[in-house]
Amino acid sequence: MSGSYFSSELEANRYTVEKILAQAKSGRLRVPPFQRPLRWRRKNHLLLLDSLYRGFPIGTLLLWHHRAPKAIVRFGSFLIEAPEREDALWIVDGQQRMNSLLGSLLFPGDLQRHRRDELAIMFDPRTDEFIPTPTDSDGLIPVNRLADPVDTSQWASEVGASAELHRRAQEIGNRLRSYEVPAYVTHAQSDDVLRTVFERSNTAGTAMRDTEVFEALNRGIEEAREPASLTLRLKTSVIGLRFGAPDDDLLQRALVAVSGHNPRSVLPDALRAPGKARSWEEPTILALHRTVTFLREEVGIPHVRLLPSELPLVILPLVFHRFPSPRERSIELLVRWVWRGIAGNVHAATNEHLTQAFNAVKDVDEEAAVQCLLKYVPRTEPQELPESTVFNRRGMPTRLELCALWSLGPVDLRTGEALDLPDLLEPSDTEDQDTNVNSGVPRLRSPLPDLASIAPSDLSPDRRRLVSSRFLHAAIPGSPKLFNKLLQSAEATRLETHAIPSSLLPLVREGNWNEVVDRRRRVIRDLVRAMVIRRARWAEDDDGPSLEATLDEAEREDAA
């Protein structure tokens, strides 16, 4: 292969971070839809920002200059509805770095509210380092306010920052934005050229294989796509949010609902025409993103493997498609709808319940849709809330109890650092997944992985099977009794984040594990009740619509 061959196909560039930010916000920068799920974790994001700040090299990007269709592009939680472009730049190598860089600098919203997100990062000028957003952020600089110097000044004004802190924030922002990232851009139309360039540049141990990249680029822009590919794109979009991988038929039913058809069927006749279902891909992805954000931040369900009932994952995309910016009152009432349905066990995705919920939403305005949904869930607190008798990986009560445990903000018992839930719950690459899209009524089929537990040999047989013997914590490799020893040596404040209050400490220290499991079971039961009551809000006398809607209705009546 001659040198002139490459010089005509490949050009070397250096892009400042400021220019990369502009390319992302304009929709020019694209991510192939079949990229392998992201592997980086919080420590990787922190190290990347630190490298930019200190001027360390971060490697070279490989970009492909090629046509791109209209699409929803996501970096972390930052979303943009990108237009069709002839001059798009597809990220062939460097996806992890770009997701980290753009996702942190363009992170939407308040970092304090979203501090569990691994891309919610701040800079501590006292220690000169990037850190995860803590509970108390006084004196810290939010990274997502550094992408624009005007926004940095606005932040300084909002928090009443000192002149020195404002100056420091501007200095850090200038360093990050002016950093130059080397990049190769190929204009090649030939797959062979791009394959060769990728093979020679992609040498990192965790990088994608070249065949994976070509599948991403070629299948991602071709006009004819198979139905299975559409389902995979929906799944990939949710996996990218680190919410886990919903079952295929749930995603298909969500698309059916968004398209305006009854989701009791995964493929109604109206969507069987070639390309018909694909035309609803982008609206469904956007609605799924809004649904995941709502479930995680408002409802308190952080991962699909802790989702106690599946119906909300089908119906909520329709709600957020029809009403993309619902009123605060609607959000509040939808939270009640989710939790009341879970507590009343009426959110199973049966044909009857799906049809009922779909009909409640499809042809009415926002306020009426929410009110109709509320009619189908219990208006009063049930006498008993679901409680697990065994640790059932696919069971609703088990997932409900694990949601309650997660609400405590569990930390690593060894380090005290906040645990990363996707790290605990994501399936391994070899895990068997049930992806039969032609199955009947969807069930909770994505089982939970193994979690740390008290050594079975120290428990009676009936207690070994209880949720209260398990922990939202990674298992300790080696002897099962190593986790017992960790519990006995852990700090009291760390144990409290795992539903072991100070009253149980003497039992833990002496190794009375059967009694620990019994007492912890009662703690978890009380925790579930408090969580559900707080969110379902049965005690509220008024489930009515917003004041604005009431006034609008009164005005219409007066006009009539």
Side-chain angles (χ1 to χ4, degrees):
M1 186 177 294
S2 67
S4 58
Y5 178 82
F6 274 103
S7 63
S8 64
E9 299 288 358
L10 193 65
E11 65 182 49
N13 287 294
R14 299 185 71 86
Y15 294 114
T16 63
V17 167
E18 188 168 36
K19 184 170 183 179
I20 292 173
L21 290 168
Q23 301 279 33
K25 289 189 284 187
S26 71
R28 188 183 185 198
L29 206 58
R30 299 298 180 96
V31 178
F34 288 95
Q35 286 273 25
R36 197 170 58 192
L38 298 171
R39 304 298 189 199
W40 275 25
R41 296 296 181 257
R42 181 177 280 116
K43 64 179 181 181
N44 305 106
H45 306 312
L46 297 175
L47 286 173
L48 178 74
L49 289 171
D50 188 72
S51 293
L52 267 63
Y53 171 63
R54 302 183 191 282
F56 296 163
I58 64 168
T60 303
L61 301 177
L62 176 58
L63 307 173
W64 187 23
H65 186 283
H66 202 276
R67 183 190 64 81
K70 177 182 177 182
I72 298 167
V73 182
R74 185 191 65 80
F75 296 100
S77 298
F78 172 73
L79 295 175
I80 183 170
E81 297 187 48
E84 180 178 358
R85 298 190 65 129
E86 295 297 323
D87 63 343
L89 294 174
W90 294 84
I91 304 172
V92 180
D93 191 27
Q95 179 203 10
Q96 304 273 9
R97 284 166 283 163
M98 288 300 96
N99 183 76
S100 179
L101 173 63
L102 297 169
S104 57
L105 284 169
L106 299 177
F107 191 99
D110 179 66
L111 297 189
Q112 273 290 321
R113 184 180 178 189
H114 306 289
R115 61 180 179 271
R116 284 188 180 273
D117 194 300
E118 61 183 21
L119 288 171
I121 298 172
M122 289 192 162
F123 183 84
D124 189 342
R126 296 161 296 194
T127 60
D128 205 37
E129 62 181 355
F130 294 91
I131 61 172
T133 298
T135 303
D136 181 9
S137 59
D138 187 40
L140 304 180
I141 301 169
V143 166
N144 67 335
R145 306 300 294 270
L146 299 177
D148 184 321
V150 174
D151 192 36
T152 305
S153 295
Q154 184 176 344
W155 161 79
S157 175
E158 290 171 3
V159 301
S162 65
E164 173 57 24
L165 184 60
H166 184 193
R167 183 198 65 77
R168 191 83 170 92
Q170 291 288 11
E171 174 197 347
I172 297 162
N174 288 336
R175 281 200 199 184
L176 296 179
R177 293 191 304 273
S178 62
Y179 184 97
E180 291 188 338
V181 183
Y184 286 107
V185 180
T186 176
H187 296 257
Q189 297 301 311
S190 166
D191 287 356
D192 292 336
V193 174
L194 190 57
R195 185 185 298 272
T196 301
V197 173
F198 180 83
E199 183 179 11
R200 296 190 181 188
S201 64
N202 185 36
T203 57
T206 59
M208 293 178 62
R209 296 186 297 273
D210 55 350
T211 53
E212 293 176 311
V213 172
F214 277 94
E215 180 181 7
L217 295 177
N218 297 329
R219 297 192 65 185
I221 62 171
E222 65 185 7
E223 290 299 324
R225 307 177 195 178
E226 296 297 323
S229 299
L230 170 58
T231 304
L232 182 56
R233 285 195 297 279
L234 296 178
K235 177 172 286 190
T236 301
S237 74
V238 178
I239 290 175
L241 298 175
R242 304 199 71 213
F243 188 70
D247 289 327
D248 287 1
D249 61 348
L250 288 179
L251 293 169
Q252 290 191 346
R253 289 172 195 268
L255 183 144
V256 171
V258 168
S259 73
H261 298 88
N262 192 327
R264 63 180 295 164
S265 170
V266 296
L267 191 60
D269 291 341
L271 295 183
R272 291 183 180 274
K276 190 68 175 178
R278 182 161 60 88
S279 68
W280 289 98
E281 175 186 348
E282 291 180 12
T284 303
I285 288 176
L286 193 57
L288 284 168
H289 284 198
R290 290 168 176 149
T291 297
V292 168
T293 299
F294 170 74
L295 288 173
R296 186 159 49 201
E297 298 179 3
E298 304 291 344
V299 178
I301 297 174
H303 196 279
V304 70
R305 291 186 171 221
L306 298 191
L307 184 67
S309 303
E310 292 177 331
L311 182 141
L313 197 56
V314 177
I315 297 301
L316 285 173
L318 170 59
V319 173
F320 287 113
H321 170 66
R322 297 202 61 224
F323 318 113
S325 299
R327 291 170 170 162
E328 288 186 14
R329 178 62 172 172
S330 296
I331 291 293
E332 178 184 332
L333 295 179
L334 285 171
V335 172
R336 298 183 194 183
W337 171 74
V338 172
W339 280 107
R340 291 178 186 182
I342 290 171
N345 201 21
V346 296
H347 276 342
T350 63
N351 287 342
E352 176 187 358
H353 290 155
L354 286 170
T355 299
Q356 200 175 64
F358 172 74
N359 288 336
V361 176
K362 66 172 183 175
D363 292 325
V364 294
D365 62 24
E366 175 187 322
E367 305 281 352
V370 175
Q371 291 298 307
C372 288
L373 287 175
L374 282 172
K375 289 180 181 178
Y376 296 116
V377 294
R379 291 274 182 165
T380 58
E381 179 185 347
Q383 291 185 346
E384 294 184 0
L385 291 175
E387 181 182 3
S388 65
T389 55
V390 297
F391 182 81
N392 181 358
R393 298 168 186 273
R394 306 170 192 267
M396 185 269 276
T398 293
R399 296 183 178 207
L400 183 60
E401 290 168 9
L402 291 176
C403 279
L405 287 175
W406 182 251
S407 71
L408 294 178
V411 302
D412 190 305
L413 293 175
R414 295 160 295 189
T415 66
E417 294 182 359
L419 290 171
D420 187 299
L421 191 65
D423 276 350
L424 292 175
L425 300 184
E426 294 296 337
S428 65
D429 290 340
T430 59
E431 182 173 346
D432 183 30
Q433 294 291 308
D434 180 359
T435 56
N436 179 12
V437 298
N438 297 314
S439 60
V441 176
R443 301 176 290 110
L444 295 170
R445 286 171 306 192
S446 297
L448 289 159
D450 288 331
L451 297 171
S453 64
I454 296 170
S457 61
D458 287 337
L459 296 174
S460 63
D462 57 328
R463 292 182 177 90
R464 295 173 192 169
R465 303 192 304 167
L466 295 175
V467 172
S468 53
S469 71
R470 312 293 177 106
F471 292 78
L472 275 174
H473 195 287
I476 308 300
S479 168
K481 294 201 174 188
L482 288 177
F483 189 72
N484 293 28
K485 294 180 179 179
L486 178 59
L487 289 172
Q488 290 178 308
S489 62
E491 296 177 9
T493 54
R494 296 177 185 177
L495 290 171
E496 288 177 353
T497 69
H498 290 276
I500 296 183
S502 57
S503 59
L504 295 188
L505 274 181
L507 297 172
V508 172
R509 301 304 188 216
E510 68 187 41
N512 189 347
W513 300 115
N514 285 314
E515 186 65 20
V516 168
V517 169
D518 288 344
R519 298 271 294 276
R520 188 169 180 256
R521 184 180 186 185
R522 292 195 288 271
V523 172
I524 294 174
R525 181 191 305 146
D526 292 343
L527 187 64
V528 168
R529 176 165 291 279
M531 176 186 72
V532 175
I533 289 175
R534 182 174 69 252
R535 290 167 173 165
R537 301 181 70 172
W538 288 287
E540 297 286 335
D541 294 331
D542 180 22
D543 285 336
S546 65
L547 178 61
E548 299 97 317
T550 304
L551 293 175
D552 290 345
E553 180 64 27
E555 289 177 0
R556 286 194 295 270
E557 291 179 357
D558 291 342

